[in-house]
Amino acid sequence: MNATAPGTPPNPPQSTGTLMPLVSFRRHRRIALMVMAVVVVFGAGFAWVKGKAVYSATAVLYVAPHFVNILKESKELDIPAYDQFIEHQALTVPRYDILLESLAKLGDRRYVWQKKKESDRRAAERLQAALEVKPVKDSYLITVTLESTTPDHLDELVNTIVDTYLEKSRESDSFFARNVRLTSLRERRGQIQGEIDAKLARRTEIAQELSVTTFSEQLASPYDKLLIESQNALAMAQRNRLASEAALALFEDRKSGQDAIAAAAFDTIQKDPGLISLKGSLYKRRSELLQQASGLDPRHPLKIQIDREFKEIDEELNRTVAKLTEQVAKSFIDQRKADVKRDRQIEQELSLQLESFRQKASWFAALYNEALSLSDEIERSRKQLDMIDERIEFFELESRAPGFVRVETYARPPELPVKGGRKKLFAVVLVLALALGAATPVGLDMLDQRIRTTGQVAKIIGHRPVAWFVEHHGSPDLKRMSADQLRRLAIAVNREREMHGSRLVSLTSVKPEAGVTDLALDLAAELGVLGVPTVVVEADPLRPDPRYRGGSAQPGLADLLAGSGEVTAAVVPAAGGLPARLGTGTAPGRQLFAYPALRRCLDELKAAYDLVLIDAPPLLLSADAEYLVEIADVTLLLVGAGQVKPGELRRAAGILEKIDPKAVGFVVTRLEVYRGGGYYAKLAEEFALAASHENGQKHTSRRLEG
């Protein structure tokens, strides 16, 4: 028996299988036919009133993927993303200003579209809504289509819209705001030309001031050579000044100055012609005196006179040398001072000259560099001027060239309507009626929340039902299916008894009319066939069943609970196709009482029978059902198909989970079998095929025996 205690892991959810259109149509065919009839009636009237012929006029535009220029290529006219560009063009055609201008161009014929007393804005907006502009997939084409119930001048209106769009596209798409841009370019050209003239005038002034005719970075400044020569001369003068100052400082030094002067004077005196002449005459006289004194006695008067004259000659020579030395030393000092003064004067003059050259060179360089900068700026301005002139020429030429878009085919006058006749509209109504007639039953079944299949039960509770029973309505094939399910359920209950010792089985339901009493009696009878003594106890004082009654004096369960009668004597024996059973009897109220006495009665029945089946009241409507579930070994919860909603089943499952019974099984009853399909219908066909095969074998065996 597939009985599972609450808390065991549920099986994976199964498909409910509730979407069966043919079954839904059979179930709600009256509603479906009513819906179709209503749609056909009202649709016929609608088709008669609104069924007007609709005419169409279509023009085709060609959007080039590349712009063919007249003068030269321009990056401004490239299409970076063609798909987006063609979508943009398709959205531009029905632009409000284009349609308004198109209506204005029609003049008096605009009233083929514009209604009487209709404003221009309203007519343009209505035309904007009616105009259909679509890019043709995998091509460079755009179709412009307008539909109307009046074919007169419809093609003329479409062609006027296309022509107006082309005019606007040449002005805006290829060169946006061409006139404004040309004006801006011309203004900029005038500014640049004025700047060039001013810079040329300034460069001419600089040329006149510097006395040059050309300005080039390769030409050297004339002051550069003068600066180099002046710097060299100043360096030489500084070296001469340093030398003269050093020579003067040497002579003026107190310690070594006299020796230096003496050495310099000695060298100069030795070269003095007067001194040389004097020395010559004195040396000659000295030679003569030496000759005269030769051989004379030192005391000789002549010798003494000659010695005195030698002394005078030496004194004269010393005086002359000393005088010359003093004169030469003074001359040397004066000469060094004069040299220092001269060198200083030269250095000062050269410094002034160099500074003057530097100032003139800086002045020259500043003006010359300014002139060079002006030349560069003039050159750049002239290049900008050339670019602007080219751009202006490009605008003037290319603005008159064909643009990205051109007309591939103009719209032609419509001859035949394309849609909208009464017959076509009525055919649409018929299709709509059939669709609604088919969808309404399915929608009603989808909106119906009641459980109709075992798959829904399995999906909600997470377990497959132990058994299921269909409504046979006298069909022998369906009866065989139910008998097979009853036998399977009896075997499962008996298996629980043999394996787990489960002898007390409680049968309850989520809601009334689930067939609990029928199943309890049939299950007990089937168990009796299997050789398992079984008794059924009616424990539902809400709705007593007459099949449980015995004689008028036969006590019932209520009497036993009240303490009168014996349990075994109260049981009605099996007879007439009914199993052994114990009815409720005359209960004092709508609920059971004396639960301990009820337990003793059930224990006595278990001692007398192998299985005791309790026909319990619905779980959601009776608290007694909870108690019976609690004391039972096995609980079978019946779910009536077409009666129970998912929320009610979840609530019943929650109650069972709170009670925590030993074992629980779910049984689905009152299932409907439809010829439209489904698992039960296929199974019924298989049972019928098996029965026919069995009957054929029996007929064959009888014929052979005969």
Side-chain angles (χ1 to χ4, degrees), residues 499-628:
M499 297 179 60
H500 303 288
S502 303
R503 299 176 60 191
L504 185 60
V505 180
S506 174
L507 282 78
T508 182
S509 62
V510 179
K511 295 178 69 174
E513 304 297 335
V516 175
T517 301
D518 293 337
L519 181 60
L521 296 174
D522 293 341
L523 182 59
E526 189 69 23
L527 287 169
V529 174
L530 296 178
V532 181
T534 305
V535 63
V536 182
V537 179
E538 184 183 25
D540 186 4
L542 295 175
R543 301 179 66 181
D545 194 282
R547 288 176 289 181
Y548 285 102
R549 297 175 185 174
S552 59
Q554 187 80 22
L557 180 62
D559 299 324
L560 296 176
L561 296 180
S564 62
E566 296 292 333
V567 175
T568 55
V571 175
V572 180
L578 295 175
R581 55 202 181 278
L582 175 61
T584 304
T586 304
R590 299 177 61 84
Q591 293 179 337
L592 297 176
F593 57 96
Y595 283 170
L598 177 61
R599 275 184 176 272
R600 288 193 298 269
C601 292
L602 294 175
D603 291 338
E604 292 182 16
L605 290 174
K606 285 194 294 183
Y609 295 91
D610 290 344
L611 278 173
V612 178
L613 304 182
I614 303 176
D615 183 358
L619 184 60
L620 296 182
L621 302 181
S622 175
D624 292 334
E626 296 189 21
Y627 175 74
L628 295 173

Side-chain angles (χ1 to χ4, degrees), residues 4 18 43 65 143 212 257 267 282 336 340 354 365-366 374 394 426 575 584 642:
T4 306
T18 56
T143 59
V212 294
D267 185 47
L282 290 177
R336 296 293 185 274
V340 169
L354 179 61
L374 288 173
F394 173 76
F426 185 70
T584 304

